[in-house]
Amino acid sequence: MKAFTLGILAALILLAAPGSHALAAEASEAPGAKPLAVGTAFPDVPLIGPVSPELADSLGIPQNGPTPMAKVKAEVLIVEIFSMYCPFCQRDAPTVNELAALIDKRGLADRVKIIGIGAGNSDTEVDIFRKKFKVPFALFSDATFAVHSAVGQVGTPYYYVLKKTPQGFTIVAAHLGLIHSPADFLADVVAKAGL
């Protein structure tokens, strides 16, 4: 009952937020944010929450976590830190979906994967975001902000571009705020990951 009530409340907030006020910036601020530096190792954070059989197979992970991120089978991994309550994340969702489609269209789907981590979001909240915006890639929850803290308490949306090495994932690029051009963003990913 509690989860259902939370889900209804979250849905109402999500549906009301986009048009609620004018926005001057392109990302939510996060006091104390210290983004991880390009060139450093990305922490092997746990991926929490259920994913569909198709997405689990695509990432090479079990359907139900927690699963260490290092287990993800991807040459390059784009990690979106988002929140279902962040209006910028809601506005950016269709663009990120376009990015996922572009990766597939250009034949890079086996090499470049996208995942999202909902900072402060429960499984229920992540599921609401997934359904509302028809997100085609895997989203994971971070109800306690533990992952958000480990990756620098960044504002949202925040994108880390990671490249797999024998030691784990290393950060090759990072981006705060809206993605204006999926094509330009992907070109930058390809260049900086050396694909």
Side-chain angles (χ1 to χ4, degrees):
M1 184 64 181
K2 184 178 180 182
F4 177 76
T5 302
L6 176 61
I8 294 298
L9 177 61
L12 292 174
I13 292 172
L14 176 63
L15 293 172
S20 60
H21 57 279
L23 302 170
E26 294 186 331
S28 66
E29 294 185 10
K34 294 181 180 178
L36 305 178
V38 171
T40 62
F42 196 78
D44 192 15
V45 296
L47 301 178
I48 301 169
V51 293
S52 70
E54 295 78 15
L55 290 175
D57 184 62
S58 171
L59 296 172
I61 63 173
Q63 277 186 258
N64 294 292
T67 302
M69 183 180 286
K71 296 289 186 183
V72 172
K73 293 181 180 176
E75 186 174 342
V76 175
L77 184 63
I78 300 170
V79 180
E80 178 189 12
I81 307 299
F82 74 99
S83 168
M84 69 163 281
Y85 300 104
C86 161
F88 304 100
C89 304
Q90 297 170 24
R91 195 195 309 173
D92 213 24
T95 306
V96 186
N97 290 351
E98 289 180 31
L99 174 63
L102 188 60
I103 289 170
D104 187 51
K105 182 179 179 182
R106 295 196 178 170
L108 293 169
D110 289 337
R111 305 177 70 188
V112 181
K113 313 284 186 182
I114 305 176
I115 64 170
I117 297 175
N121 294 167
S122 66
D123 288 350
T124 300
E125 292 167 319
V126 164
D127 194 48
I128 290 170
F129 188 89
R130 176 190 298 113
K131 290 176 179 174
K132 175 170 175 60
F133 296 104
K134 298 179 173 57
V135 178
F137 51 88
L139 299 180
F140 300 94
S141 60
D142 178 31
T144 65
F145 286 101
V147 174
H148 182 248
S149 178
V151 302
Q153 297 181 224
V154 292
T156 54
Y158 198 94
Y159 300 89
Y160 281 112
V161 181
L162 313 178
K163 185 168 185 178
K164 193 76 169 281
T165 72
Q167 292 74 39
F169 283 108
T170 296
I171 303 168
V172 297
H175 175 86
L176 171 66
L178 302 182
I179 295 174
H180 292 289
S181 166
D184 289 349
F185 188 89
L186 181 57
D188 194 50
V189 168
V190 169
K192 291 182 176 174
L195 297 180

